[in-house]
Amino acid sequence: MFLANKKIVVMGVANKKSIAWGCASALKNQGAEIIYTYQNERMKKQILKLTDEGELLVECDVASDESIAAAFKEIEEKIGKIDGLVHAVAFANKEELDGNVSDISRSGYALAQDISSYSLLAVTHHAKPLLNPGSGIVTMTYLGSERAIPNYNMMGIAKASLEAAVRYLAAELASEKIRVNGISAGAIKTLAVTGVKNYDQLIKMSDDRTPDKIGVTIEEVGNACAFLVSELSAGIIGDIIYVDKGVHLT
Ligand code: NAD
């Protein structure tokens, strides 16, 4: 187990289909202790169905600086230092995941960037003092950052920004021995994906483009995440690793 005695914060478990749940499970399989953050009480109820008694659950709405600050204060008080952070959080209004990008509203653009990209900077700011040397930060992105995927629209723009944030954060934190990387996951049916118009087609297109016609799973993404959080990936800094079963090849 390559994460024995490591304490990792996982943000973004909504239910058992969440990529964050695949990550938490893989991290646990490698011996890590997980600290879960949840957006609101509704999400907490879902996580409680999945977690064991004694595991720490902390509220953290990334739309609020106060909420982020309070969450990491609580983590510091109850856990102390941590060894990694998984950021698997994103949001855009349904209107911004349909139709023309030239119709995206100023407020819809700002909201999607705020929750899906700025939040990585904001949580890193508060997590930084707690992160031990050797820690890894991992976020989740998608091919729609580089290609115009039908209806992914605003989220593709936000993911491009998120990927740039990964590179700048990685450059900033490397001297503190904290590595920052992203996983570009293939399309998986989760709550977030159902916000994209015709999401079934998005998932089918992704599955069809895999060389073996089988889409990636949250377990596969989770295992790659465990590797990237750990020091096994010490040579990988500021990178975006495809974990999409080869969708990006064609
Ligand atoms: P999901 O719906 O299970 O998870 C999204 C999470 O974001 C939820 O837990 C939700 O509570 C959280 N969130 C939204 N707004 C928040 C806020 N204000 N504060 C705190 N948390 C907030 O869906 P998922 O697909 O597992 O998404 C996880 C990440 O993976 C996202 O960044 C998503 O863009 C990315 N991703 C998903 C796919 C896919 O096909 N599902 C592919 C590539 C990347």
Side-chain angles (χ1 to χ4, degrees), residues 19 89-101 104 112 116 140-160 162-163 183-188 190 192-199 202-203 205:
I19 290 177
V89 166
F91 183 78
N93 287 324
K94 266 191 185 289
E95 309 85 87
E96 268 73 56
L97 301 170
D98 177 14
N100 300 321
V101 287
I104 287 172
S116 315
M140 298 297 152
T141 185
Y142 178 60
L143 190 64
S145 63
E146 318 162 48
R147 297 195 198 165
I149 307 269
N151 298 317
Y152 199 67
N153 296 9
M154 182 59 232
M155 195 52 81
I157 297 170
K159 291 301 190 191
L162 178 72
E163 290 176 18
I183 288 176
S184 185
I188 302 173
T190 61
V193 155
T194 59
V196 181
K197 192 185 179 197
N198 298 332
Y199 67 86
L202 183 93
I203 293 171
M205 186 188 76

Side-chain angles (χ1 to χ4, degrees), residues 117 120-121 124 128 137 139 160-176 178-182 237-240:
S117 175
L120 179 67
L121 305 181
T124 300
K128 207 164 59 167
I137 298 176
T139 189
S161 152
L162 178 72
E163 290 176 18
V166 164
R167 291 184 282 274
Y168 279 95
L169 281 174
E172 175 189 326
L173 297 174
S175 60
E176 298 179 40
I178 300 167
R179 291 171 308 102
V180 186
N181 290 293
I237 291 183
D239 228 328
I240 306 295

